[in-house]
């Protein structure tokens, strides 16, 4: 009897697998297959980061990427940077430059951000990062801001390098 147990288990697993993978056409409760996740972008080398940094408009081409990375540590608990990355307490920041404020699909924005009538660029982001509550009153971001101008410059340079920014 023992030799039949592994065979019976395999047969049952195969049957379950077939049902899960190929629902019948009359199964109206079958979920549609999950959307494909984007392929992970290869990690940039230091040389590639330096090249992107050099291509940025002034003053961001003078940014200190390591300081920008350290400054972003204050943001990391709420935001992701990766292409296709999920939203957290704050929206994913991939492609933020040139994107209309309040437009990340699936993120619930405050009315203030939903009604903001601008696209994110370095100047808007600098004002936001300096004092979010003053820049756009009524937003829900519970972050005091980055008061140091050079830290903001470095953070914006870092974000441009890490979020797919393409100079015009």
């Amino acid at each position: 009897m023992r030799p039949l147990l592994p065979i019976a288990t395999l047969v049952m697993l195969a049957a379950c697998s077939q049902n899960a993978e190929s629902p019948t056409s009359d199964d109206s409760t079958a979920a549609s297959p999950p959307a494909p996740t984007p392929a992970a972008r290869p990690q940039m080398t230091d040389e590639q980061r330096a090249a992107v940094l050099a291509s940025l408009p002034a003053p961001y081409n003078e940014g200190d990427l390591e300081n920008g990375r350290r400054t972003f540590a204050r943001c990391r608990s709420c935001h992701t940077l990766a292409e296709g990355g999920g939203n957290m307490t704050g929206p994913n920041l991939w492609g933020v430059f040139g994107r209309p404020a309040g437009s990340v699909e699936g993120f619930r924005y405050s009315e203030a951000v939903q009604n903001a009538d601008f696209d994110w660029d370095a100047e808007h982001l600098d004002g936001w990062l300096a004092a979010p509550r003053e820049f756009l009153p009524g937003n829900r971001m519970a972050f005091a801001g980055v008061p140091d101008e050079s830290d903001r410059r470095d953070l914006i340079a870092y974000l441009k390098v890490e979020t797919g920014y393409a100079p015009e």
Side-chain angles (χ1 to χ4, degrees):
M1 180 84 168
R2 285 212 183 266
L4 293 178
L5 186 58
I7 294 171
T9 303
L10 288 174
V11 170
M12 288 174 55
L13 288 175
C16 290
S17 171
Q18 287 176 345
N19 289 338
E21 290 174 7
S22 22
T24 60
S25 59
D26 59 316
D27 184 3
S28 61
T29 61
S32 56
T37 55
R41 225 177 95 188
Q43 200 67 350
M44 279 195 287
T45 66
D46 290 340
E47 292 79 24
Q48 290 169 320
R49 282 186 179 90
V52 173
L53 180 66
S55 73
L56 298 179
Y60 306 104
N61 60 345
E62 302 285 326
D64 176 343
L65 293 180
E66 181 57 27
N67 185 47
R69 185 190 66 75
R70 284 191 307 269
T71 303
F72 183 72
R74 302 178 206 174
C75 315
R76 192 172 309 280
S77 64
C78 295
H79 296 279
T80 60
L81 297 178
E83 182 175 16
N87 296 323
M88 296 172 59
T89 303
N92 172 270
L93 297 178
W94 178 264
V96 66
F97 294 98
R99 180 170 70 206
S103 66
V104 171
E105 193 164 323
F107 187 77
R108 192 173 144 256
Y109 290 96
S110 64
E111 274 190 52
V113 177
Q114 288 176 26
N115 296 328
D117 188 24
F118 63 86
D119 291 347
W120 287 111
D121 58 20
E123 292 75 28
H124 284 99
L125 191 56
D126 185 65
W128 175 270
L129 291 170
R133 299 279 171 148
E134 292 172 24
F135 178 80
L136 195 58
N139 80 75
R140 289 191 304 254
M141 189 160 121
F143 180 67
V146 178
D148 185 83
E149 188 177 332
S150 63
D151 285 346
R152 288 194 314 273
R153 178 204 61 211
D154 295 345
L155 175 56
I156 292 168
Y158 175 76
L159 290 173
K160 283 181 177 267
V161 169
E162 296 296 327
T163 63
Y165 171 79
E168 295 172 12

